Amino acid sequence: MNKHATPNLRAEKITGGVATDQRHDSGHKHVSGTAVYIDDMPEPAGTLHGCLGLSAATHATITSMDLSAVRAAPGVVDVLTASDVPGENDISPTGRHDEPVLADGKVQFYGQPIFCVIAETREQARRATRLAKVEYEDLPFVTDIGELDPRKDRLVTPPLTLKRGDAAAAIKAAPRRLKGQMRVGGQEHFYLEGHIAMAVPGEDEDVTIYSSTQHPSEVQHMVSHALGVPSNAITVEIRRMGGGFGGKETQGNQFAALAAIAAKKHHRAVKIRPDRDDDMIATGKRHDFLVDYEVGFDDEGNILGVDFMFAARCGFSSDLSGPVTDRALFHCDNTYFWPAVHAQSAPLYTNTVSNTAFRGFGGPQGMVGAERVIDEVAFAVGKDPLEIRKKNFYGTSDRNVTPYHQTVEDNIIQRIVAELEQSAGYARRRREISAFNANSRFIKRGLALTPVKFGISFTATHYNQAGALVHVYTDGSVHLNHGGTEMGQGLYIKVAQVVAEEFQIDLDQVKITATTTGKVPNTSATAASSGSDLNGMAAQNGARQIKDRLTNFAAEKYQVPRDQVLFLPNRVRIGNQEIAFADLVKQAYMARIQLSAAGFYKTPKIHWNRDKGEGRPFYYFAYGASCSEVSVDTLTGEYMVERTDILHDTGRSLNRAIDIGQIEGGFIQGMGWLTTEELWWDDKGRLRTHAPSTYKIPLASDRPKIFNVTLADWPEASEPTVHRSKAVGEPPFPLGMSVLHALSDAVASVADHKICPRLDAPATPERVLMTIERLKNEVKASA
């Protein structure tokens, strides 16, 4: 950020401090094409290129693999197989040793990497992979969790059970009860920049890896295991990613490990960048779920007991399926108090690519299950779903204990929903839509307002820590490094604002530098919406250490009490005089005061006992609500989003401009997941939606025609987070549920809102049409 600007020593306020709207530090580079991603970096002389050879069987034993034609192909330098992994042939992020770098004798999904071609050019490597002659002996396979029994079939990791009270007894004793099942689809990350890794060998055991990863420390550890060398030999660096969304938390391990193995073997830099088809086929996605539910309630719509089973398609290995399915249970309440609840996960083994982290990390799937229960109850008692939602909200002094026994201490959902209901004109529009539908034969409109409560923290407690490195140079400029990664979400600029605020210097005096394991070690993934929370606090801690030393130095040098040393915009008042910040720094250097600090932060108060299903896994909750209106063509199932209003809570926002962008993007991505984005495997176990031509993410034209996004200006984090701000990465994503429920509302109108549509996700036009036809047939059958 340093533009060599001269700080304004008379300013009343610094430029670019906390709670000011600042553009993304790389925004101008993104739009001008000058932002440097890994594939833009100049390649070292002699760089080789890799391409994965993927299996053509879904579940099989490899009986023979003839790679002679591959090795003889033009430009090919080497072909790596499992036997070429010098260390451990495993990249399992949870240490379950169930995910090989390259398959060894057995393949467990169609498209699993079984070899890697290393060639002089990327095109030569790609062409050579097609020359392999591999023979298989097929084994039975399963790709659809609908064919499995969650209580009997193979799991990839132990399940979780949450319970409070006696749900079975409460449901049995309830005046009314019902049960059902919902299918919730998965989602491809579809980042603009696909996976990529470039490994540059050094002397001895050293290798530097440029990896498009959200978790540099994990790549470091996985590569060290694969090479059989200590972690200190591996340096991982990443300046920016072209999107991550969780897909680069673990999935970059394979590309980095193979690039590093080849680089060390041939003493040349190696780059691996799969094309979009291979990327989509060979890397994990959001987990799709089958949610079984049973609910007991009274005639007014008060829910008395619920029982959930969340069965997930996890793929062939555990990856992060354990914590993802755990978090689905953590959010099976969303904003609602279940008086008695039982919820169980089933992380099911399937012969598909191992699913992985995706924005929300299972939480949105849990919320969708909760909202289906609300819809079921609303239709059963003949009331507006919003009325049932409000009736079952968490309380503030009572009715405030979650299924995992954490007390909700910061509940503001009632006010959020009340304000949005008013500003969006919900009641008026509900009446108008009812009148419109009564007079429109084919086009039906729908309206829904859905709330969100999202827990903030990694559910694995040890991940809730961060480090930062802060240097102050003798000219007063600051060098900032931390363990968080920049994937377009604006983390770097937010943390820089925190440091600028702490020193009271203009933002352009703070230099943002690439994330690297060589500066800040043992970092957590930039995930769980905690990037700003953790790294902002760590950087603030580092800055405060230096600031404290400067304060002590000034007090001693100028013989004044510490409380008479005040940091003002770009200057420091010491007693009754003021000097420039840079001048004080220079004086401190001459007096041999340390001007560098390693900051650290760990989230307090959180704890979790998985065996008991009890604890405080979340530091606080973020809240929001969205209201969407849609139009549906009942002859074709096609639809449009007419309007969306969002009110979201980010506490005391560090940067409102960045936060609003995150909310807009999160909503659209959540809407896409629940509407147009459909993953489809054929009867041979092949993913057929593996390119932009067959997988439909939302376009700019799919956004709501009217799109109002507002930050609630009154809340602040109930806990001492960085400047009392709140996380904003994942919480907006499930706001897209309002579109699914608005579609459901429109569909329900063809049966006069007498039948719960049970519209599954993704609600593609085809699925909407089939649901409409089903409701029409049910109406006829009951006539």
PDB file of all heavy atoms in Angstrom, residues 161-167 329 340-344 402-405 611-614:
ATOM      1  N   THR A 161     -23.874 -37.068  17.202  1.00  0.00           N
ATOM      2  CA  THR A 161     -25.256 -36.973  17.668  1.00  0.00           C
ATOM      3  C   THR A 161     -25.373 -35.788  18.616  1.00  0.00           C
ATOM      4  O   THR A 161     -24.550 -35.627  19.527  1.00  0.00           O
ATOM      5  CB  THR A 161     -25.696 -38.249  18.404  1.00  0.00           C
ATOM      6  OG1 THR A 161     -25.620 -39.363  17.504  1.00  0.00           O
ATOM      7  CG2 THR A 161     -27.123 -38.116  18.917  1.00  0.00           C
ATOM      8  N   LEU A 162     -26.368 -34.943  18.369  1.00  0.00           N
ATOM      9  CA  LEU A 162     -26.701 -33.853  19.278  1.00  0.00           C
ATOM     10  C   LEU A 162     -28.084 -34.124  19.851  1.00  0.00           C
ATOM     11  O   LEU A 162     -28.992 -34.542  19.119  1.00  0.00           O
ATOM     12  CB  LEU A 162     -26.723 -32.499  18.550  1.00  0.00           C
ATOM     13  CG  LEU A 162     -25.434 -32.017  17.894  1.00  0.00           C
ATOM     14  CD1 LEU A 162     -25.663 -30.645  17.253  1.00  0.00           C
ATOM     15  CD2 LEU A 162     -24.294 -31.948  18.891  1.00  0.00           C
ATOM     16  N   LYS A 163     -28.231 -33.898  21.128  1.00  0.00           N
ATOM     17  CA  LYS A 163     -29.559 -34.093  21.714  1.00  0.00           C
ATOM     18  C   LYS A 163     -29.729 -33.215  22.944  1.00  0.00           C
ATOM     19  O   LYS A 163     -28.780 -32.945  23.682  1.00  0.00           O
ATOM     20  CB  LYS A 163     -29.792 -35.567  22.071  1.00  0.00           C
ATOM     21  CG  LYS A 163     -28.763 -36.169  23.013  1.00  0.00           C
ATOM     22  CD  LYS A 163     -29.020 -37.657  23.207  1.00  0.00           C
ATOM     23  CE  LYS A 163     -27.947 -38.275  24.091  1.00  0.00           C
ATOM     24  NZ  LYS A 163     -28.151 -39.726  24.275  1.00  0.00           N
ATOM     25  N   ARG A 164     -30.942 -32.758  23.117  1.00  0.00           N
ATOM     26  CA  ARG A 164     -31.325 -32.028  24.326  1.00  0.00           C
ATOM     27  C   ARG A 164     -32.785 -32.359  24.588  1.00  0.00           C
ATOM     28  O   ARG A 164     -33.638 -32.202  23.704  1.00  0.00           O
ATOM     29  CB  ARG A 164     -31.147 -30.522  24.146  1.00  0.00           C
ATOM     30  CG  ARG A 164     -31.105 -29.743  25.465  1.00  0.00           C
ATOM     31  CD  ARG A 164     -31.256 -28.245  25.278  1.00  0.00           C
ATOM     32  NE  ARG A 164     -32.567 -27.931  24.762  1.00  0.00           N
ATOM     33  CZ  ARG A 164     -32.807 -27.496  23.544  1.00  0.00           C
ATOM     34  NH1 ARG A 164     -31.818 -27.306  22.697  1.00  0.00           N
ATOM     35  NH2 ARG A 164     -34.045 -27.256  23.135  1.00  0.00           N
ATOM     36  N   GLY A 165     -33.067 -32.845  25.763  1.00  0.00           N
ATOM     37  CA  GLY A 165     -34.418 -33.287  26.062  1.00  0.00           C
ATOM     38  C   GLY A 165     -34.698 -34.625  25.397  1.00  0.00           C
ATOM     39  O   GLY A 165     -33.815 -35.272  24.830  1.00  0.00           O
ATOM     40  N   ASP A 166     -35.970 -35.055  25.468  1.00  0.00           N
ATOM     41  CA  ASP A 166     -36.395 -36.328  24.894  1.00  0.00           C
ATOM     42  C   ASP A 166     -37.244 -36.036  23.655  1.00  0.00           C
ATOM     43  O   ASP A 166     -38.458 -35.832  23.748  1.00  0.00           O
ATOM     44  CB  ASP A 166     -37.196 -37.132  25.927  1.00  0.00           C
ATOM     45  CG  ASP A 166     -37.475 -38.555  25.469  1.00  0.00           C
ATOM     46  OD1 ASP A 166     -37.465 -38.795  24.236  1.00  0.00           O
ATOM     47  OD2 ASP A 166     -37.713 -39.431  26.331  1.00  0.00           O
ATOM     48  N   ALA A 167     -36.586 -36.000  22.487  1.00  0.00           N
ATOM     49  CA  ALA A 167     -37.286 -35.625  21.259  1.00  0.00           C
ATOM     50  C   ALA A 167     -38.370 -36.632  20.905  1.00  0.00           C
ATOM     51  O   ALA A 167     -39.479 -36.254  20.506  1.00  0.00           O
ATOM     52  CB  ALA A 167     -36.292 -35.494  20.110  1.00  0.00           C
ATOM     53  N   LEU A 329     -25.178 -30.248  11.692  1.00  0.00           N
ATOM     54  CA  LEU A 329     -25.982 -30.433  12.908  1.00  0.00           C
ATOM     55  C   LEU A 329     -25.977 -29.170  13.761  1.00  0.00           C
ATOM     56  O   LEU A 329     -26.997 -28.814  14.361  1.00  0.00           O
ATOM     57  CB  LEU A 329     -25.442 -31.603  13.740  1.00  0.00           C
ATOM     58  CG  LEU A 329     -25.449 -32.998  13.114  1.00  0.00           C
ATOM     59  CD1 LEU A 329     -25.242 -34.052  14.201  1.00  0.00           C
ATOM     60  CD2 LEU A 329     -26.718 -33.286  12.343  1.00  0.00           C
ATOM     61  N   ALA A 340     -37.208 -29.847  22.390  1.00  0.00           N
ATOM     62  CA  ALA A 340     -36.567 -31.160  22.505  1.00  0.00           C
ATOM     63  C   ALA A 340     -36.048 -31.514  21.124  1.00  0.00           C
ATOM     64  O   ALA A 340     -36.761 -31.350  20.122  1.00  0.00           O
ATOM     65  CB  ALA A 340     -37.557 -32.209  22.996  1.00  0.00           C
ATOM     66  N   VAL A 341     -34.816 -31.977  21.054  1.00  0.00           N
ATOM     67  CA  VAL A 341     -34.204 -32.182  19.747  1.00  0.00           C
ATOM     68  C   VAL A 341     -33.251 -33.369  19.766  1.00  0.00           C
ATOM     69  O   VAL A 341     -32.549 -33.611  20.757  1.00  0.00           O
ATOM     70  CB  VAL A 341     -33.451 -30.896  19.293  1.00  0.00           C
ATOM     71  CG1 VAL A 341     -32.423 -30.465  20.323  1.00  0.00           C
ATOM     72  CG2 VAL A 341     -32.799 -31.084  17.940  1.00  0.00           C
ATOM     73  N   HIS A 342     -33.257 -34.110  18.672  1.00  0.00           N
ATOM     74  CA  HIS A 342     -32.283 -35.172  18.431  1.00  0.00           C
ATOM     75  C   HIS A 342     -31.834 -35.029  16.987  1.00  0.00           C
ATOM     76  O   HIS A 342     -32.660 -34.939  16.078  1.00  0.00           O
ATOM     77  CB  HIS A 342     -32.913 -36.548  18.663  1.00  0.00           C
ATOM     78  CG  HIS A 342     -31.994 -37.694  18.349  1.00  0.00           C
ATOM     79  ND1 HIS A 342     -31.899 -38.258  17.095  1.00  0.00           N
ATOM     80  CD2 HIS A 342     -31.113 -38.371  19.138  1.00  0.00           C
ATOM     81  CE1 HIS A 342     -31.006 -39.243  17.123  1.00  0.00           C
ATOM     82  NE2 HIS A 342     -30.520 -39.337  18.343  1.00  0.00           N
ATOM     83  N   ALA A 343     -30.532 -34.950  16.769  1.00  0.00           N
ATOM     84  CA  ALA A 343     -30.001 -34.797  15.413  1.00  0.00           C
ATOM     85  C   ALA A 343     -28.772 -35.672  15.252  1.00  0.00           C
ATOM     86  O   ALA A 343     -27.920 -35.721  16.150  1.00  0.00           O
ATOM     87  CB  ALA A 343     -29.649 -33.340  15.129  1.00  0.00           C
ATOM     88  N   GLN A 344     -28.697 -36.347  14.125  1.00  0.00           N
ATOM     89  CA  GLN A 344     -27.590 -37.271  13.897  1.00  0.00           C
ATOM     90  C   GLN A 344     -27.042 -37.077  12.489  1.00  0.00           C
ATOM     91  O   GLN A 344     -27.788 -36.786  11.549  1.00  0.00           O
ATOM     92  CB  GLN A 344     -28.068 -38.714  14.078  1.00  0.00           C
ATOM     93  CG  GLN A 344     -26.951 -39.744  14.080  1.00  0.00           C
ATOM     94  CD  GLN A 344     -27.459 -41.138  14.423  1.00  0.00           C
ATOM     95  OE1 GLN A 344     -28.552 -41.288  14.965  1.00  0.00           O
ATOM     96  NE2 GLN A 344     -26.664 -42.155  14.119  1.00  0.00           N
ATOM     97  N   THR A 402     -29.027 -24.052  22.629  1.00  0.00           N
ATOM     98  CA  THR A 402     -28.941 -24.755  21.347  1.00  0.00           C
ATOM     99  C   THR A 402     -28.929 -26.272  21.557  1.00  0.00           C
ATOM    100  O   THR A 402     -28.755 -26.758  22.678  1.00  0.00           O
ATOM    101  CB  THR A 402     -27.650 -24.356  20.613  1.00  0.00           C
ATOM    102  OG1 THR A 402     -26.528 -24.856  21.364  1.00  0.00           O
ATOM    103  CG2 THR A 402     -27.543 -22.853  20.453  1.00  0.00           C
ATOM    104  N   PRO A 403     -29.082 -27.030  20.470  1.00  0.00           N
ATOM    105  CA  PRO A 403     -28.985 -28.498  20.585  1.00  0.00           C
ATOM    106  C   PRO A 403     -27.637 -28.984  21.086  1.00  0.00           C
ATOM    107  O   PRO A 403     -27.527 -30.113  21.560  1.00  0.00           O
ATOM    108  CB  PRO A 403     -29.240 -28.976  19.147  1.00  0.00           C
ATOM    109  CG  PRO A 403     -30.067 -27.898  18.528  1.00  0.00           C
ATOM    110  CD  PRO A 403     -29.541 -26.621  19.131  1.00  0.00           C
ATOM    111  N   TYR A 404     -26.601 -28.135  20.982  1.00  0.00           N
ATOM    112  CA  TYR A 404     -25.267 -28.517  21.478  1.00  0.00           C
ATOM    113  C   TYR A 404     -24.969 -27.852  22.822  1.00  0.00           C
ATOM    114  O   TYR A 404     -23.817 -27.788  23.245  1.00  0.00           O
ATOM    115  CB  TYR A 404     -24.191 -28.197  20.431  1.00  0.00           C
ATOM    116  CG  TYR A 404     -24.372 -26.860  19.738  1.00  0.00           C
ATOM    117  CD1 TYR A 404     -23.738 -25.709  20.204  1.00  0.00           C
ATOM    118  CD2 TYR A 404     -25.175 -26.750  18.613  1.00  0.00           C
ATOM    119  CE1 TYR A 404     -23.910 -24.488  19.575  1.00  0.00           C
ATOM    120  CE2 TYR A 404     -25.353 -25.536  17.970  1.00  0.00           C
ATOM    121  CZ  TYR A 404     -24.724 -24.413  18.454  1.00  0.00           C
ATOM    122  OH  TYR A 404     -24.895 -23.203  17.833  1.00  0.00           O
ATOM    123  N   HIS A 405     -26.023 -27.356  23.459  1.00  0.00           N
ATOM    124  CA  HIS A 405     -25.986 -26.872  24.842  1.00  0.00           C
ATOM    125  C   HIS A 405     -25.208 -25.570  25.015  1.00  0.00           C
ATOM    126  O   HIS A 405     -24.739 -25.265  26.117  1.00  0.00           O
ATOM    127  CB  HIS A 405     -25.442 -27.960  25.793  1.00  0.00           C
ATOM    128  CG  HIS A 405     -26.304 -29.189  25.833  1.00  0.00           C
ATOM    129  ND1 HIS A 405     -27.241 -29.409  26.818  1.00  0.00           N
ATOM    130  CD2 HIS A 405     -26.384 -30.256  24.992  1.00  0.00           C
ATOM    131  CE1 HIS A 405     -27.863 -30.565  26.586  1.00  0.00           C
ATOM    132  NE2 HIS A 405     -27.364 -31.091  25.474  1.00  0.00           N
ATOM    133  N   ASP A 611     -17.631 -36.004  22.035  1.00  0.00           N
ATOM    134  CA  ASP A 611     -18.196 -37.254  22.531  1.00  0.00           C
ATOM    135  C   ASP A 611     -19.516 -37.020  23.271  1.00  0.00           C
ATOM    136  O   ASP A 611     -20.458 -37.804  23.161  1.00  0.00           O
ATOM    137  CB  ASP A 611     -17.202 -37.965  23.460  1.00  0.00           C
ATOM    138  CG  ASP A 611     -15.966 -38.447  22.716  1.00  0.00           C
ATOM    139  OD1 ASP A 611     -16.079 -38.689  21.494  1.00  0.00           O
ATOM    140  OD2 ASP A 611     -14.897 -38.561  23.333  1.00  0.00           O
ATOM    141  N   LYS A 612     -19.581 -35.916  24.004  1.00  0.00           N
ATOM    142  CA  LYS A 612     -20.806 -35.594  24.734  1.00  0.00           C
ATOM    143  C   LYS A 612     -21.785 -34.768  23.896  1.00  0.00           C
ATOM    144  O   LYS A 612     -22.959 -34.651  24.243  1.00  0.00           O
ATOM    145  CB  LYS A 612     -20.474 -34.810  26.008  1.00  0.00           C
ATOM    146  CG  LYS A 612     -19.761 -35.619  27.082  1.00  0.00           C
ATOM    147  CD  LYS A 612     -19.554 -34.768  28.331  1.00  0.00           C
ATOM    148  CE  LYS A 612     -18.912 -35.582  29.454  1.00  0.00           C
ATOM    149  NZ  LYS A 612     -18.702 -34.745  30.670  1.00  0.00           N
ATOM    150  N   GLY A 613     -21.290 -34.158  22.817  1.00  0.00           N
ATOM    151  CA  GLY A 613     -22.135 -33.281  22.013  1.00  0.00           C
ATOM    152  C   GLY A 613     -22.492 -32.013  22.759  1.00  0.00           C
ATOM    153  O   GLY A 613     -23.576 -31.456  22.566  1.00  0.00           O
ATOM    154  N   GLU A 614     -21.564 -31.531  23.577  1.00  0.00           N
ATOM    155  CA  GLU A 614     -21.829 -30.355  24.391  1.00  0.00           C
ATOM    156  C   GLU A 614     -20.623 -29.426  24.395  1.00  0.00           C
ATOM    157  O   GLU A 614     -19.482 -29.867  24.283  1.00  0.00           O
ATOM    158  CB  GLU A 614     -22.139 -30.750  25.843  1.00  0.00           C
ATOM    159  CG  GLU A 614     -23.390 -31.600  26.009  1.00  0.00           C
ATOM    160  CD  GLU A 614     -23.646 -31.957  27.467  1.00  0.00           C
ATOM    161  OE1 GLU A 614     -22.969 -31.391  28.350  1.00  0.00           O
ATOM    162  OE2 GLU A 614     -24.525 -32.804  27.715  1.00  0.00           O
TER     163      GLU A 614
END
